[in-house]
Amino acid sequence: MKVAVYCGSRSGNEPLYAEKARELGEFFGNNGIDLVFGGGHVGLMGIIADAVLANGGKVYGVIPQHLVNRELAHPGLTELFVVGNMHERKAKMAELADGFVALPGGIGTLEEIFEVWTWAQLGFHKKPCAFYNVTGFYDSLLDMVKTMVAAGFVKQQYLDMIVLAHTPKELVDGFSSYVPPQEKWA
């Protein structure tokens, strides 16, 4: 299994974010789960990649040339794909991955997980999407999506399709039991 992880290029203010990224990376490495990620050596991205590698796992990075030029590429990956832009990065990560998870992060993290979640809703893929909800990081975001459901803009099944995990085991179990919803326009 290859899991795309979207997460911060910073470590955040709470040390638990880094600890949980490391823990997830160790779990991936020890359980033969490959990491697909944004290819950077900074922030939570670098932490999870280093943890997977340190525990014998494979790590595939996808990074735009612009960020390579700024010396942000992780130097020790199993394979690094250098692409022309962010659109190509997201497409390549989606192609490589069997599932997607967002750890704590910023605007880019949200944009990436929302895009693959939308693609799943539209039937462009049948892969699970998840939020790794460290210390309730995504609670208010999910409350907003519940507001969208209540307002009639999102069907409940598209909220229900999200795997909400607090531990590596919950994430893998959620991916294993995932059943894609009916496509939005089917």
Side-chain angles (χ1 to χ4, degrees):
M1 175 188 294
K2 288 182 181 174
V3 176
V5 172
Y6 306 119
C7 60
S9 59
R10 298 174 53 106
S11 297
N13 296 330
E14 170 59 57
L16 193 58
Y17 301 147
E19 181 182 321
K20 291 298 184 179
R22 188 173 299 106
E23 176 185 271
L24 185 61
E26 290 170 356
F27 182 87
F28 281 6
N30 289 325
N31 289 280
I33 299 170
D34 297 344
L35 173 66
V36 176
F37 82 122
H41 67 82
V42 295
L44 296 184
M45 287 196 303
I47 291 168
I48 193 168
D50 288 344
V52 173
L53 291 166
N55 287 277
K58 294 180 181 175
V59 178
Y60 301 91
V62 185
I63 191 167
Q65 182 65 53
H66 173 76
L67 297 179
V68 172
N69 295 346
R70 291 180 181 236
E71 300 181 0
L72 294 174
H74 194 295
L77 305 179
T78 306
E79 190 167 358
L80 181 66
F81 298 91
V82 179
V83 296
N85 57 53
M86 293 297 285
H87 297 292
E88 291 175 16
R89 176 197 219 179
K90 292 183 294 182
K92 184 65 174 178
M93 288 177 70
E95 172 192 323
L96 292 171
D98 300 309
F100 311 93
V101 59
L103 274 65
I107 296 167
T109 301
L110 291 180
E111 188 272 332
E112 290 171 318
I113 192 66
F114 270 87
E115 183 166 28
V116 293
W117 186 4
T118 300
W119 290 352
Q121 175 184 301
L122 296 173
F124 294 161
H125 69 75
K126 306 237 181 265
K127 303 171 186 181
C129 300
F131 287 98
Y132 204 71
N133 200 25
V134 177
T135 66
F137 185 83
Y138 285 113
D139 287 350
S140 60
L141 177 74
L142 294 171
D143 285 344
M144 181 64 220
V145 178
K146 290 174 187 173
T147 299
M148 293 173 184
V149 171
F153 290 105
V154 176
K155 288 185 179 179
Q156 184 66 45
Q157 68 178 345
Y158 301 126
L159 174 57
D160 294 343
M161 70 186 282
I162 287 295
V163 174
L164 186 61
H166 301 88
T167 67
K169 184 178 182 335
E170 286 179 1
L171 179 65
V172 171
D173 289 350
F175 278 12
S176 296
S177 63
Y178 177 75
V179 177
Q182 180 180 355
E183 292 177 30
K184 183 173 181 176
W185 304 112

